[in-house]
Amino acid sequence: QVQLVESGGGSVQAGGSLKLSCAASGLPYRRDCMGWFRQAPGKEPEGVASIDGQGTTSYPVPVKGRFIISRDNAENTLYLQMNNLKPEDTAMYYCAAAPGYFGSGCYDRVSRGSNYRGRGTQVTVSS
């Protein structure tokens, strides 16, 4: 059974940084497609970052250059380093995994919270 557990959210002022973690278990391979998406109240889910089994990363324009996705395969943990946070980054952040997907397909799947997702961790950025 796949389980994803996020941690590391919190409240910061604009310009600050946070690092989210996602502890994964039950995935077929340690280097499967994984990523992060976020959802603010009243808004559609939005992809934030993805990394596939070959290490290819993808970011949307709003976070490119500020967010960095990485993984520790030995610890089965996914990370999201978020720098220069802005109030518009405020949302619930979810970890997602889509085994077997690569590149843009990986990003598309995790952006929708497929195939597996965690319960999320709240990030609040004040101005």
Side-chain angles (χ1 to χ4, degrees), residues 40-96:
K43 294 190 176 181
E44 293 294 314
E46 175 186 27
V48 174
S50 67
I51 182 168
D52 68 15
Q54 296 173 336
T56 301
T57 57
S58 298
Y59 304 92
V61 170
V63 308
K64 205 165 189 176
R66 299 189 297 123
F67 290 12
I68 302 171
I69 189 170
S70 62
R71 72 201 308 167
D72 183 332
N73 293 322
E75 298 294 328
N76 284 346
T77 304
L78 183 73
Y79 300 101
L80 183 69
Q81 177 67 48
M82 305 186 294
N83 301 318
N84 190 21
L85 283 161
K86 304 177 180 180
E88 51 264 42
D89 294 320
T90 295
M92 185 72 80
Y93 283 70
Y94 299 88
C95 174

